[in-house]
Amino acid sequence: MPKDGKLRIAAADGMEHAFVLSRMDTSITLLNKLLDLTAARHEVLANNLANVNTPGVTRQDLRFKDSLISAIKSDDKDAISSLKAELYDDVSQPFRPDGNNITTQSELAEMSQNELMYRVASRALSMKYSGMRKVLSGQF
Amino acid sequence: MSDFTLVPAIQISASGLDAENRRMEVIANNVANAETTKGADGKVFRRREVIFASKLSDAIDAQTGENKGGGVEVKEVVESNQPGKRVYRPGHPDADAEGYINLPNISPIEEMVDMMTASRAYEANLTAMKTAKDMASRALDIGR
């Protein structure tokens, strides 16, 4: 029983450390945000693709690069987590005669780029957590 | 949860697949009826076209605070008003007093082009759906 109790205390201690670590580190917040933003952007790009043959539809996109960069520079967790992406109509692409300016290939290209960013964020988050686990278990 | 935000994306791509599939059915029906002089209403068959309309999403998005699009739907299937060909075939039971029959206003070449467009759009939506699925499964692997 005493041994078990000690273990429990150690486990609780470790969890607290992990918690403190995650609170101090803005990168986990940032990576979570990046996952949310790229997932939201995927939805917008998928909607463009679904409407590639709908007359009169302007392609939409999410803009968050600049605000994300300034949030990263501020190193403020709240600024990062409260960041909002801007949904805008992209009129920079040429319109077809049916009033639609969506092309399959450019949407797919943007989509694969976006997916890559999602992969980067999820991989980095995984590495962050596995690093924490190593620290907690004492195996290096 | 990041992986759940991808569910609407999968639904959007599914709406694209549905719409393109419906379009493919209508095209196939046109091709099958390219020579039909007596349609269901007793008149000559007319070319049918699908009308696509974009849908609004059910929910306000958390990342933007706006309503992003919610995919596409087939709003209606309309009959084309284009005049069909008149062919001289006096022996035909549907021939008029001058011996002419009205053929449907369907050009198989046009239908083929439409079919290719529909097929490409279907593939694109399928790719988008697969990407969303891959992303969601990656999110599940975080911390593994």
Side-chain angles (χ1 to χ4, degrees), chain A residues 32-33 35-55 57 60 62 81 83-88 104 108 111-112 114-115 118-119 121-123 125-127 129-130 133, chain B residues 1-3 5-6 8-9 12-13 15-16 20 23 52-55 57 61-72 117-118 120-121 124-125 127-128 131-132 134-136 138-139 141-144:
Chain A
N32 271 325
K33 193 72 200 175
L35 284 177
D36 285 344
L37 288 170
T38 43
R41 184 158 186 252
H42 179 84
E43 196 182 323
V44 174
L45 297 175
N47 187 51
N48 286 341
L49 272 179
N51 282 294
V52 72
N53 288 320
T54 313
V57 172
Q60 290 186 310
L62 278 192
S81 60
L83 189 144
K84 285 245 183 290
E86 185 200 344
L87 184 71
Y88 69 100
T104 316
L108 284 174
M111 193 174 270
S112 62
N114 188 57
E115 191 206 359
Y118 189 92
R119 281 187 191 209
S122 70
R123 176 74 64 84
L125 207 53
S126 271
M127 285 162 84
Y129 284 135
S130 75
R133 193 177 295 126
Chain B
M1 281 285 285
S2 326
D3 47 334
T5 56
L6 287 161
I12 286 170
S13 297
S15 80
E20 299 298 344
R23 186 183 184 196
F52 282 1
S54 54
K55 282 199 292 191
S57 158
D61 183 66
Q63 297 306 317
T64 62
E66 285 178 82
N67 193 317
K68 291 186 297 198
V72 67
T117 320
R120 292 287 170 269
N125 279 296
T127 308
T131 308
D134 286 353
M135 283 162 79
R138 254 163 225 287
D141 282 344
I142 290 173
R144 196 170 272 181

Coordinates of all heavy atoms in Angstrom, one line a residue, chain A residues 32-33 35-55 57 60 62 81 83-88 104 108 111-112 114-115 118-119 121-123 125-127 129-130 133, chain B residues 1-3 5-6 8-9 12-13 15-16 20 23 52-55 57 61-72 117-118 120-121 124-125 127-128 131-132 134-136 138-139 141-144:
Chain A
N32 N -2.0 23.5 -32.0 CA -3.4 23.2 -32.0 C -4.2 24.2 -32.9 O -5.1 23.8 -33.7 CB -4.0 23.4 -30.6 CG -3.9 22.1 -29.8 OD1 -4.0 21.0 -30.4 ND2 -3.6 22.2 -28.5
K33 N -3.8 25.4 -32.8 CA -4.5 26.5 -33.7 C -4.2 26.2 -35.1 O -5.1 26.3 -36.0 CB -3.9 27.8 -33.3 CG -4.7 29.0 -33.8 CD -6.0 29.1 -33.1 CE -7.0 29.9 -33.9 NZ -8.3 29.9 -33.2
L35 N -3.7 23.3 -36.5 CA -4.5 22.2 -36.9 C -5.9 22.7 -37.2 O -6.5 22.3 -38.2 CB -4.5 21.1 -35.8 CG -3.3 20.2 -35.7 CD1 -3.4 19.3 -34.5 CD2 -3.0 19.5 -36.9
D36 N -6.4 23.5 -36.3 CA -7.8 24.0 -36.5 C -7.9 24.8 -37.8 O -8.9 24.7 -38.5 CB -8.2 24.8 -35.3 CG -8.6 24.0 -34.1 OD1 -8.7 22.8 -34.3 OD2 -8.6 24.5 -33.0
L37 N -7.0 25.7 -38.0 CA -7.0 26.6 -39.1 C -6.9 25.8 -40.5 O -7.7 26.1 -41.4 CB -5.9 27.6 -39.1 CG -6.1 28.7 -38.0 CD1 -4.8 29.6 -37.9 CD2 -7.3 29.6 -38.3
T38 N -6.0 24.9 -40.5 CA -5.8 24.1 -41.7 C -7.0 23.2 -42.0 O -7.4 23.0 -43.1 CB -4.5 23.3 -41.8 OG1 -4.3 22.6 -40.5 CG2 -3.3 24.2 -42.0
A39 N -7.6 22.7 -40.9 CA -8.8 21.9 -41.1 C -9.9 22.7 -41.6 O -10.7 22.3 -42.5 CB -9.2 21.2 -39.8
A40 N -10.1 23.9 -41.1 CA -11.1 24.9 -41.6 C -10.9 25.2 -43.0 O -11.8 25.3 -43.8 CB -11.1 26.1 -40.7
R41 N -9.6 25.4 -43.4 CA -9.3 25.8 -44.7 C -9.6 24.6 -45.7 O -10.0 24.8 -46.8 CB -7.8 26.2 -44.9 CG -7.5 26.7 -46.3 CD -6.2 27.6 -46.3 NE -6.1 28.1 -47.7 CZ -5.1 27.7 -48.5 NH1 -4.2 26.8 -48.1 NH2 -5.1 28.2 -49.7
H42 N -9.3 23.4 -45.2 CA -9.7 22.2 -46.0 C -11.1 22.2 -46.4 O -11.5 21.9 -47.5 CB -9.3 20.9 -45.4 CG -9.6 19.7 -46.2 ND1 -8.8 19.3 -47.1 CD2 -10.7 19.0 -46.2 CE1 -9.4 18.2 -47.7 NE2 -10.6 18.0 -47.2
E43 N -12.0 22.6 -45.4 CA -13.4 22.6 -45.7 C -13.8 23.6 -46.7 O -14.6 23.4 -47.6 CB -14.1 23.0 -44.3 CG -15.6 22.7 -44.3 CD -16.2 23.1 -43.0 OE1 -15.6 23.0 -42.0 OE2 -17.4 23.6 -43.1
V44 N -13.1 24.8 -46.7 CA -13.4 25.9 -47.7 C -13.0 25.4 -49.1 O -13.7 25.5 -50.1 CB -12.7 27.2 -47.3 CG1 -12.8 28.2 -48.4 CG2 -13.2 27.7 -46.0
L45 N -11.8 24.7 -49.1 CA -11.3 24.2 -50.4 C -12.2 23.1 -51.0 O -12.4 23.0 -52.2 CB -9.8 23.8 -50.3 CG -8.8 24.9 -49.9 CD1 -7.4 24.2 -49.7 CD2 -8.8 25.9 -51.0
A46 N -12.7 22.2 -50.1 CA -13.6 21.2 -50.5 C -14.8 21.7 -51.0 O -15.4 21.2 -52.0 CB -13.8 20.2 -49.3
N47 N -15.3 22.8 -50.4 CA -16.5 23.5 -50.9 C -16.3 24.1 -52.3 O -17.2 24.0 -53.1 CB -17.0 24.6 -49.9 CG -18.3 25.1 -50.2 OD1 -19.3 24.4 -50.4 ND2 -18.4 26.4 -50.4
N48 N -15.1 24.6 -52.5 CA -14.8 25.1 -53.8 C -14.9 24.0 -54.9 O -15.5 24.1 -55.9 CB -13.4 25.7 -53.9 CG -13.3 27.1 -53.2 OD1 -14.4 27.7 -53.0 ND2 -12.1 27.5 -52.8
L49 N -14.3 22.9 -54.5 CA -14.3 21.7 -55.4 C -15.7 21.2 -55.7 O -16.0 20.9 -56.8 CB -13.4 20.6 -54.9 CG -11.9 20.7 -55.2 CD1 -11.2 19.5 -54.6 CD2 -11.7 20.6 -56.7
A50 N -16.5 21.2 -54.6 CA -17.9 20.7 -54.8 C -18.7 21.6 -55.8 O -19.6 21.2 -56.4 CB -18.6 20.6 -53.5
N51 N -18.3 22.9 -55.8 CA -19.0 23.9 -56.6 C -18.3 24.3 -57.9 O -18.5 25.3 -58.4 CB -19.2 25.2 -55.8 CG -20.4 25.0 -54.8 OD1 -21.5 24.8 -55.2 ND2 -20.1 25.0 -53.5
V52 N -17.4 23.4 -58.3 CA -16.6 23.7 -59.5 C -17.5 23.8 -60.8 O -17.2 24.5 -61.7 CB -15.5 22.7 -59.7 CG1 -16.0 21.3 -60.2 CG2 -14.4 23.1 -60.7
N53 N -18.7 23.2 -60.8 CA -19.6 23.3 -61.9 C -20.9 24.1 -61.6 O -21.8 24.0 -62.3 CB -20.0 21.9 -62.4 CG -18.8 21.2 -63.1 OD1 -18.1 21.9 -63.8 ND2 -18.6 19.9 -62.9
T54 N -20.9 24.8 -60.5 CA -22.0 25.6 -60.1 C -21.9 27.0 -60.7 O -20.9 27.7 -60.4 CB -22.2 25.7 -58.6 OG1 -22.0 24.4 -58.1 CG2 -23.5 26.3 -58.2
P55 N -22.8 27.5 -61.6 CA -22.7 28.8 -62.2 C -22.7 29.9 -61.2 O -23.5 29.8 -60.2 CB -23.8 28.9 -63.2 CG -24.3 27.5 -63.4 CD -24.0 26.7 -62.1
V57 N -20.5 31.0 -59.0 CA -19.8 30.9 -57.7 C -18.4 31.4 -57.7 O -17.6 31.0 -58.6 CB -19.9 29.4 -57.2 CG1 -19.0 29.2 -56.0 CG2 -21.3 29.0 -57.0
Q60 N -13.7 30.8 -52.7 CA -13.5 31.3 -51.4 C -12.2 30.8 -50.8 O -11.7 29.7 -51.2 CB -14.6 31.0 -50.4 CG -15.9 31.7 -50.7 CD -17.0 31.4 -49.7 OE1 -17.2 30.2 -49.4 NE2 -17.6 32.4 -49.2
L62 N -9.5 31.0 -47.0 CA -9.2 31.5 -45.7 C -7.9 32.3 -45.6 O -6.9 31.8 -46.1 CB -9.2 30.4 -44.6 CG -10.5 29.8 -44.1 CD1 -10.2 28.9 -42.9 CD2 -11.4 30.9 -43.7
S81 N -4.7 31.7 -29.4 CA -5.9 30.9 -29.3 C -7.1 31.6 -29.8 O -8.1 31.0 -30.2 CB -6.0 30.2 -28.0 OG -6.2 31.2 -27.0
L83 N -7.2 33.8 -32.2 CA -7.0 34.2 -33.6 C -8.2 33.7 -34.5 O -8.6 32.6 -34.4 CB -5.7 33.7 -34.0 CG -5.1 34.1 -35.4 CD1 -3.6 34.2 -35.2 CD2 -5.5 33.2 -36.5
K84 N -8.7 34.7 -35.3 CA -9.7 34.3 -36.2 C -9.2 34.4 -37.6 O -8.6 35.4 -38.0 CB -10.9 35.2 -36.0 CG -11.7 34.9 -34.8 CD -13.1 34.5 -35.1 CE -14.0 34.2 -33.9 NZ -13.6 33.1 -33.1
A85 N -9.6 33.4 -38.4 CA -9.2 33.4 -39.9 C -10.3 34.3 -40.6 O -11.4 34.4 -40.2 CB -9.2 32.0 -40.4
E86 N -9.9 34.8 -41.7 CA -10.8 35.7 -42.5 C -11.2 34.9 -43.7 O -10.4 34.5 -44.5 CB -10.1 37.0 -42.8 CG -10.9 38.0 -43.5 CD -10.1 39.0 -44.3 OE1 -8.9 39.1 -44.0 OE2 -10.7 39.7 -45.2
L87 N -12.5 34.8 -43.9 CA -13.1 34.1 -45.1 C -13.3 35.2 -46.1 O -14.0 36.2 -45.9 CB -14.4 33.4 -44.7 CG -15.1 32.6 -45.8 CD1 -14.3 31.3 -46.1 CD2 -16.5 32.3 -45.4
Y88 N -12.7 35.0 -47.3 CA -12.9 36.0 -48.3 C -13.2 35.4 -49.7 O -12.8 34.3 -50.0 CB -11.6 36.9 -48.4 CG -10.4 36.3 -48.9 CD1 -10.0 36.5 -50.2 CD2 -9.6 35.4 -48.1 CE1 -8.8 35.9 -50.7 CE2 -8.5 34.8 -48.6 CZ -8.1 35.0 -49.9 OH -7.0 34.4 -50.4
T104 N -10.4 23.0 -60.9 CA -10.1 21.8 -60.2 C -8.6 21.7 -59.8 O -8.3 21.5 -58.6 CB -10.5 20.6 -61.0 OG1 -11.7 20.8 -61.6 CG2 -10.5 19.3 -60.2
L108 N -7.0 21.6 -56.0 CA -6.3 20.4 -55.6 C -4.8 20.7 -55.1 O -4.3 20.2 -54.1 CB -6.3 19.3 -56.6 CG -7.6 18.6 -56.8 CD1 -7.5 17.7 -58.0 CD2 -8.0 17.8 -55.6
M111 N -5.0 22.4 -51.9 CA -5.5 21.4 -50.9 C -4.3 20.5 -50.4 O -4.2 20.2 -49.2 CB -6.6 20.5 -51.5 CG -7.3 19.7 -50.5 SD -8.7 18.8 -51.3 CE -9.9 20.1 -51.0
S112 N -3.4 20.1 -51.4 CA -2.3 19.3 -51.0 C -1.3 20.1 -50.1 O -0.7 19.6 -49.2 CB -1.7 18.6 -52.2 OG -1.1 19.6 -53.0
N114 N -2.1 22.6 -48.2 CA -2.8 22.7 -46.9 C -2.7 21.4 -46.1 O -2.4 21.5 -44.9 CB -4.2 23.1 -47.1 CG -5.0 23.5 -45.9 OD1 -4.6 24.4 -45.2 ND2 -6.0 22.7 -45.6
E115 N -2.8 20.3 -46.7 CA -2.7 19.0 -46.0 C -1.3 18.8 -45.5 O -1.1 18.3 -44.4 CB -3.1 17.9 -47.0 CG -3.2 16.5 -46.3 CD -2.9 15.3 -47.2 OE1 -2.6 15.5 -48.3 OE2 -3.0 14.2 -46.6
Y118 N -1.0 20.7 -42.4 CA -1.7 19.9 -41.3 C -0.8 18.8 -40.8 O -0.7 18.6 -39.6 CB -3.0 19.4 -41.9 CG -3.9 18.8 -40.8 CD1 -4.9 19.5 -40.2 CD2 -3.8 17.4 -40.5 CE1 -5.7 19.0 -39.3 CE2 -4.6 16.9 -39.5 CZ -5.6 17.7 -38.9 OH -6.5 17.1 -38.0
R119 N -0.1 18.1 -41.7 CA 0.8 17.0 -41.3 C 1.9 17.5 -40.5 O 2.3 16.9 -39.5 CB 1.4 16.4 -42.6 CG 0.4 15.4 -43.3 CD 1.2 14.8 -44.4 NE 0.4 14.0 -45.2 CZ 0.8 12.9 -45.9 NH1 2.0 12.5 -45.8 NH2 -0.1 12.3 -46.7
A121 N 2.0 20.2 -38.6 CA 1.5 20.5 -37.3 C 1.2 19.3 -36.4 O 1.6 19.3 -35.2 CB 0.2 21.4 -37.4
S122 N 0.6 18.3 -37.0 CA 0.3 17.1 -36.2 C 1.6 16.3 -35.8 O 1.7 15.8 -34.7 CB -0.7 16.2 -36.9 OG -0.1 15.6 -38.0
R123 N 2.6 16.3 -36.8 CA 3.8 15.6 -36.5 C 4.6 16.4 -35.3 O 5.1 15.8 -34.4 CB 4.7 15.6 -37.7 CG 6.1 15.0 -37.5 CD 6.1 13.5 -37.4 NE 5.6 12.8 -38.5 CZ 6.4 12.5 -39.6 NH1 7.6 12.8 -39.6 NH2 5.9 11.9 -40.6
L125 N 3.3 18.3 -33.1 CA 2.6 18.1 -31.8 C 2.9 16.7 -31.2 O 3.1 16.6 -30.0 CB 1.1 18.2 -32.1 CG 0.2 18.7 -31.0 CD1 0.7 20.0 -30.3 CD2 -1.3 18.9 -31.5
S126 N 2.9 15.7 -32.1 CA 3.3 14.4 -31.6 C 4.6 14.3 -31.0 O 4.8 13.7 -29.9 CB 3.3 13.4 -32.8 OG 2.0 12.9 -33.0
M127 N 5.6 15.0 -31.6 CA 6.9 15.0 -31.1 C 7.0 15.7 -29.8 O 7.7 15.3 -28.9 CB 7.9 15.7 -32.1 CG 8.2 14.8 -33.3 SD 8.8 15.7 -34.7 CE 10.5 15.8 -34.2
Y129 N 4.6 15.9 -27.6 CA 4.0 15.0 -26.5 C 4.9 13.9 -26.2 O 5.1 13.5 -25.1 CB 2.7 14.5 -27.0 CG 1.6 15.6 -26.8 CD1 0.6 15.8 -27.8 CD2 1.5 16.4 -25.7 CE1 -0.3 16.7 -27.7 CE2 0.5 17.3 -25.6 CZ -0.4 17.5 -26.6 OH -1.4 18.5 -26.5
S130 N 5.6 13.3 -27.2 CA 6.5 12.2 -27.0 C 7.7 12.6 -26.2 O 8.2 11.9 -25.3 CB 6.8 11.4 -28.2 OG 7.8 12.2 -29.0
R133 N 6.5 12.8 -22.7 CA 6.4 11.4 -22.1 C 7.7 10.9 -21.7 O 7.8 10.2 -20.7 CB 5.7 10.5 -23.1 CG 5.2 9.2 -22.5 CD 4.5 8.4 -23.5 NE 3.2 9.0 -23.9 CZ 2.9 9.1 -25.2 NH1 3.8 8.7 -26.1 NH2 1.8 9.7 -25.6
Chain B
M1 N -12.1 19.7 -30.9 CA -11.3 18.6 -31.4 C -11.0 18.8 -32.9 O -11.9 18.9 -33.7 CB -12.0 17.3 -31.1 CG -11.9 16.8 -29.7 SD -10.3 16.1 -29.4 CE -10.5 14.5 -30.2
S2 N -9.7 18.7 -33.2 CA -9.4 19.0 -34.6 C -10.0 18.0 -35.6 O -10.4 18.3 -36.7 CB -7.9 18.9 -34.8 OG -7.2 19.4 -33.6
D3 N -10.0 16.7 -35.2 CA -10.5 15.7 -36.1 C -12.0 15.8 -36.4 O -12.4 15.5 -37.5 CB -10.2 14.3 -35.6 CG -10.5 14.0 -34.2 OD1 -10.6 15.0 -33.4 OD2 -10.8 12.9 -33.8
T5 N -13.6 18.6 -36.7 CA -13.8 19.7 -37.7 C -13.7 19.3 -39.1 O -14.2 20.0 -40.0 CB -12.8 20.9 -37.4 OG1 -11.5 20.4 -37.6 CG2 -13.0 21.5 -36.1
L6 N -13.2 18.1 -39.3 CA -13.1 17.6 -40.7 C -14.3 16.9 -41.2 O -14.5 16.6 -42.4 CB -11.9 16.7 -40.8 CG -10.5 17.5 -40.8 CD1 -9.4 16.6 -40.4 CD2 -10.3 18.1 -42.1
P8 N -17.5 18.1 -41.4 CA -18.2 18.9 -42.4 C -17.5 18.9 -43.8 O -18.2 18.9 -44.8 CB -18.2 20.3 -41.8 CG -17.9 20.1 -40.4 CD -17.2 18.9 -40.2
A9 N -16.2 18.8 -43.8 CA -15.5 18.8 -45.1 C -15.8 17.5 -45.8 O -16.0 17.6 -47.0 CB -14.0 18.9 -44.8
I12 N -19.3 17.9 -47.3 CA -19.2 18.8 -48.4 C -18.8 18.0 -49.7 O -19.4 18.1 -50.7 CB -18.3 20.0 -48.2 CG1 -18.9 21.0 -47.2 CG2 -17.9 20.7 -49.5 CD1 -18.0 22.1 -46.7
S13 N -17.7 17.3 -49.5 CA -17.3 16.5 -50.7 C -18.3 15.4 -51.1 O -18.5 15.2 -52.2 CB -15.9 15.8 -50.3 OG -14.9 16.7 -50.0
S15 N -21.5 15.8 -50.9 CA -22.5 16.6 -51.6 C -22.1 16.7 -53.1 O -22.9 16.6 -54.0 CB -22.9 17.9 -51.0 OG -21.9 18.9 -51.3
G16 N -20.8 17.0 -53.2 CA -20.2 17.1 -54.6 C -20.3 15.8 -55.3 O -20.7 15.8 -56.5
E20 N -22.6 15.3 -58.8 CA -22.0 14.8 -60.0 C -22.6 13.5 -60.4 O -22.7 13.2 -61.6 CB -20.5 14.8 -59.9 CG -19.8 16.1 -59.6 CD -20.0 17.2 -60.6 OE1 -20.4 16.8 -61.8 OE2 -19.7 18.3 -60.3
R23 N -25.9 14.1 -62.0 CA -25.6 14.7 -63.3 C -25.3 13.6 -64.3 O -25.8 13.5 -65.4 CB -24.5 15.7 -63.2 CG -24.2 16.4 -64.5 CD -23.0 17.3 -64.2 NE -22.7 18.1 -65.3 CZ -21.6 18.7 -65.5 NH1 -20.6 18.6 -64.6 NH2 -21.3 19.5 -66.5
F52 N -27.1 23.2 -60.9 CA -26.4 23.1 -59.7 C -26.6 24.4 -58.9 O -26.7 25.5 -59.5 CB -24.9 22.9 -59.9 CG -24.5 21.5 -60.2 CD1 -25.5 20.5 -60.4 CD2 -23.2 21.2 -60.5 CE1 -25.1 19.2 -60.7 CE2 -22.8 19.9 -60.8 CZ -23.7 18.9 -60.9
A53 N -26.7 24.3 -57.6 CA -26.8 25.4 -56.7 C -25.9 25.2 -55.5 O -25.9 24.0 -55.0 CB -28.2 25.7 -56.3
S54 N -25.2 26.2 -55.0 CA -24.4 26.0 -53.8 C -25.3 26.1 -52.6 O -26.3 26.8 -52.6 CB -23.3 27.0 -53.8 OG -23.8 28.3 -53.9
K55 N -24.8 25.3 -51.6 CA -25.6 25.3 -50.3 C -24.9 26.1 -49.3 O -23.7 26.2 -49.3 CB -25.7 23.8 -49.8 CG -26.8 23.0 -50.6 CD -27.2 21.8 -49.7 CE -26.0 20.8 -49.6 NZ -26.5 19.5 -49.1
S57 N -23.7 26.4 -45.3 CA -23.4 25.5 -44.2 C -24.5 25.6 -43.1 O -25.2 26.6 -42.9 CB -22.0 25.8 -43.7 OG -21.9 25.3 -42.4
D61 N -18.9 28.9 -38.5 CA -17.6 28.3 -38.3 C -16.9 29.0 -37.1 O -16.9 30.2 -37.0 CB -16.8 28.5 -39.6 CG -15.4 27.8 -39.4 OD1 -15.4 26.5 -39.3 OD2 -14.4 28.5 -39.3
A62 N -16.3 28.1 -36.3 CA -15.6 28.6 -35.1 C -14.3 29.4 -35.5 O -13.9 30.3 -34.7 CB -15.2 27.5 -34.2
Q63 N -13.7 29.0 -36.6 CA -12.4 29.7 -36.9 C -12.6 31.0 -37.6 O -11.7 31.9 -37.6 CB -11.6 28.8 -37.8 CG -11.1 27.5 -37.2 CD -10.4 27.7 -35.9 OE1 -9.6 28.6 -35.7 NE2 -10.8 26.9 -34.9
T64 N -13.7 31.3 -38.2 CA -13.9 32.5 -38.9 C -15.1 33.3 -38.4 O -15.1 34.5 -38.6 CB -14.2 32.2 -40.4 OG1 -15.4 31.5 -40.5 CG2 -13.1 31.4 -41.1
G65 N -16.0 32.7 -37.7 CA -17.2 33.4 -37.2 C -18.2 33.7 -38.3 O -19.1 34.5 -38.2
E66 N -17.9 33.0 -39.5 CA -18.8 33.3 -40.6 C -19.4 31.9 -41.1 O -18.9 30.9 -40.7 CB -18.1 33.9 -41.8 CG -17.8 35.3 -41.6 CD -16.9 35.9 -42.7 OE1 -17.5 36.2 -43.7 OE2 -15.7 36.0 -42.6
N67 N -20.4 32.0 -42.0 CA -21.0 30.8 -42.5 C -20.2 30.5 -43.8 O -20.4 31.1 -44.8 CB -22.5 31.0 -42.8 CG -23.2 29.7 -43.1 OD1 -22.7 28.9 -43.8 ND2 -24.4 29.6 -42.5
K68 N -19.4 29.4 -43.7 CA -18.8 28.9 -44.9 C -19.8 28.2 -45.7 O -20.8 27.8 -45.3 CB -17.6 28.0 -44.5 CG -16.5 28.7 -43.8 CD -15.3 27.8 -43.6 CE -15.6 26.7 -42.7 NZ -14.5 26.1 -42.1
G69 N -19.4 27.9 -47.0 CA -20.3 27.1 -47.8 C -20.5 25.7 -47.3 O -19.7 25.2 -46.6
G70 N -21.6 25.1 -47.7 CA -21.9 23.8 -47.2 C -22.0 22.8 -48.4 O -22.8 21.8 -48.3
G71 N -21.3 23.0 -49.5 CA -21.4 22.1 -50.6 C -22.3 22.5 -51.7 O -22.6 23.7 -51.9
V72 N -22.8 21.5 -52.4 CA -23.5 21.7 -53.7 C -24.7 20.8 -53.7 O -24.8 19.8 -53.0 CB -22.6 21.5 -54.9 CG1 -22.2 20.1 -55.0 CG2 -23.2 22.0 -56.2
T117 N -16.6 16.0 -68.0 CA -16.6 17.1 -67.0 C -17.1 16.5 -65.6 O -16.5 16.8 -64.6 CB -17.4 18.3 -67.4 OG1 -17.3 18.5 -68.8 CG2 -17.0 19.5 -66.6
A118 N -18.2 15.8 -65.7 CA -18.8 15.3 -64.5 C -17.9 14.3 -63.8 O -17.7 14.3 -62.6 CB -20.1 14.6 -64.8
R120 N -14.5 14.1 -64.1 CA -13.4 14.8 -63.5 C -13.7 15.4 -62.2 O -13.0 15.3 -61.2 CB -12.8 15.8 -64.5 CG -12.2 15.3 -65.7 CD -10.8 14.6 -65.4 NE -10.4 13.9 -66.6 CZ -10.7 12.6 -66.9 NH1 -11.4 11.9 -66.0 NH2 -10.3 12.0 -68.0
A121 N -14.9 16.1 -62.2 CA -15.3 16.7 -60.9 C -15.6 15.7 -59.8 O -15.3 16.0 -58.7 CB -16.6 17.5 -61.2
A124 N -12.3 14.7 -58.4 CA -11.7 15.8 -57.6 C -12.4 15.8 -56.2 O -11.7 15.9 -55.2 CB -12.0 17.2 -58.2
N125 N -13.7 15.6 -56.1 CA -14.4 15.5 -54.9 C -13.9 14.3 -54.0 O -13.8 14.4 -52.8 CB -15.9 15.5 -55.1 CG -16.5 16.9 -55.3 OD1 -16.4 17.7 -54.5 ND2 -17.0 17.1 -56.5
T127 N -11.0 12.9 -54.2 CA -9.7 13.2 -53.7 C -9.8 14.1 -52.4 O -9.1 13.9 -51.5 CB -8.8 14.0 -54.8 OG1 -8.9 13.2 -56.0 CG2 -7.4 14.1 -54.3
A128 N -10.6 15.1 -52.5 CA -10.8 16.0 -51.4 C -11.3 15.2 -50.1 O -10.9 15.4 -49.0 CB -11.8 17.1 -51.7
T131 N -8.5 13.2 -48.7 CA -7.5 14.0 -48.0 C -8.1 14.3 -46.6 O -7.3 14.3 -45.6 CB -7.3 15.4 -48.8 OG1 -7.0 15.0 -50.1 CG2 -6.3 16.2 -48.2
A132 N -9.4 14.7 -46.5 CA -10.0 15.0 -45.2 C -9.8 13.7 -44.3 O -9.5 13.9 -43.1 CB -11.4 15.4 -45.4
D134 N -7.6 11.3 -44.5 CA -6.2 11.2 -44.1 C -5.8 12.1 -43.0 O -5.1 11.8 -42.0 CB -5.3 11.4 -45.3 CG -5.3 10.3 -46.3 OD1 -5.9 9.3 -46.0 OD2 -4.7 10.5 -47.4
M135 N -6.3 13.4 -43.1 CA -6.0 14.4 -42.1 C -6.6 14.0 -40.7 O -5.9 14.1 -39.7 CB -6.5 15.8 -42.5 CG -5.7 16.4 -43.6 SD -6.6 17.8 -44.4 CE -6.5 19.1 -43.2
A136 N -7.8 13.5 -40.8 CA -8.5 13.1 -39.5 C -7.7 12.0 -38.9 O -7.6 11.9 -37.7 CB -9.9 12.8 -39.8
R138 N -4.6 11.3 -39.1 CA -3.4 11.8 -38.6 C -3.6 12.5 -37.3 O -2.8 12.4 -36.4 CB -2.8 12.8 -39.6 CG -1.6 12.2 -40.3 CD -1.2 13.0 -41.5 NE -1.0 12.1 -42.6 CZ 0.1 11.3 -42.6 NH1 1.0 11.3 -41.7 NH2 0.3 10.5 -43.6
A139 N -4.7 13.2 -37.2 CA -5.0 13.8 -35.9 C -5.2 12.8 -34.8 O -4.8 13.0 -33.6 CB -6.3 14.7 -36.0
D141 N -3.6 10.1 -34.6 CA -2.2 9.5 -34.2 C -1.4 10.4 -33.3 O -0.3 10.1 -33.0 CB -1.5 9.2 -35.5 CG -2.0 7.9 -36.1 OD1 -2.6 7.2 -35.4 OD2 -1.7 7.7 -37.3
I142 N -1.9 11.7 -33.1 CA -1.1 12.6 -32.3 C -0.9 12.0 -30.9 O -1.9 11.5 -30.2 CB -1.8 13.9 -32.1 CG1 -1.8 14.7 -33.5 CG2 -1.2 14.8 -31.1 CD1 -2.6 15.9 -33.5
G143 N 0.3 12.0 -30.4 CA 0.6 11.5 -29.1 C 0.8 10.0 -29.0 O 0.9 9.4 -28.0
R144 N 0.8 9.4 -30.2 CA 1.0 7.9 -30.2 C 2.5 7.6 -30.2 O 3.3 8.3 -30.7 CB 0.3 7.3 -31.4 CG 0.2 5.8 -31.3 CD -0.7 5.3 -32.3 NE -2.2 5.3 -31.9 CZ -3.1 4.9 -32.7 NH1 -2.8 4.4 -33.9 NH2 -4.4 4.9 -32.3

